[in-house]
Amino acid sequence: RYPHGMRPPEIAGITLEQLQKVYTDHQEWLDSPKWNPFARKLQLPTMYDVVPMIIKPATANTQGSYAELFTQKAVDVFVSHWWGHEFSEFVKALEHAAIELVANELKDREAASLVFWICSFANAQWTVNLGSSLEMSPFERALASRTCKAVVMVMDEQAMPLTRIWCIYEVLRTSVLSLPFYVATKDGVLLGERVQERPRLAQTLLA
């Protein structure tokens, strides 16, 4: 067992079932729109809201990560996203992605048991340690871990992940590591391909 806040990124995932429970336990709040002064529109809570309202209260006693509230789990799938996406849509997108993943990449698994690496849940939100270099960052370590079998980019209607440098870096690393790459939305998976076999998507996103 590691000290709180020190669990290695490679084993700091949470299952789809655990993520779904976060949503169902807070569904009334998560399904209630409020004015977002940054987006300047009425919007359902995003990860920017979930961290202070759900994750930090749940980890206040330990000062560690949300993932550390559960037994350690090796990462199956790395999730690339931006925090401004409505959380309810984020969960729906990963539900769709999980169905595709068990049909193609992780055929011996059930969707609910897939372990996702999601930065806000995997990293302690009290003192975030991004590592001394890109190679030692928790993002890189999770993405390049030997158990990680695919990458899912959760996309919103404005394609905001493609404006975030971290997300572009994750696409680059997905290409270099030849991992299957999926783009998921609240309505389904737009596409999924093995970058090793068909690098066109990754190259297009990096252009």
Side-chain angles (χ1 to χ4, degrees), residues 41-98:
K41 64 180 180 180
L42 201 63
Q43 189 177 34
L44 297 178
T46 69
M47 198 69 79
Y48 286 113
D49 304 302
V50 167
V51 168
M53 296 301 293
I54 297 177
I55 294 177
K56 294 191 77 171
T59 58
N61 291 334
T62 65
Q63 302 282 292
S65 72
Y66 191 89
E68 289 173 323
L69 300 176
F70 308 97
T71 57
Q72 61 190 40
K73 297 177 182 67
V75 174
D76 293 321
V77 182
F78 183 94
V79 178
S80 180
H81 70 109
W82 84 294
W83 279 31
H85 201 163
E86 292 179 347
F87 187 76
S88 59
E89 293 190 358
F90 175 78
V91 174
K92 289 176 184 175
L94 290 183
E95 289 173 341
H96 290 303

Side-chain angles (χ1 to χ4, degrees), residues 106-134:
L106 294 150
K107 296 181 180 180
D108 60 334
R109 302 285 295 281
E110 294 184 0
S113 73
L114 292 190
V115 180
F116 291 100
W117 195 89
I118 304 167
C119 62
S120 48
F121 291 92
N123 295 330
Q125 295 304 313
W126 299 91
T127 53
V128 178
N129 181 4
L130 297 181
S132 57
S133 65
L134 281 175

Side-chain angles (χ1 to χ4, degrees), residues 8-10 117 123 129-142 144 166 169 173:
E10 298 89 340
W117 195 89
N123 295 330
N129 181 4
L130 297 181
S132 57
S133 65
L134 281 175
E135 291 77 11
M136 293 305 297
S137 74
F139 300 87
E140 170 66 20
R141 289 175 60 187
W166 267 112
Y169 172 77
R173 292 299 292 149

Side-chain angles (χ1 to χ4, degrees), residues 5 12 14-16 31 58 82 84 91 161 175 181 197:
I14 65 169
T15 66
L16 176 62
D31 287 346
W82 84 294
V91 174
S175 178
F181 182 74
E197 298 170 356

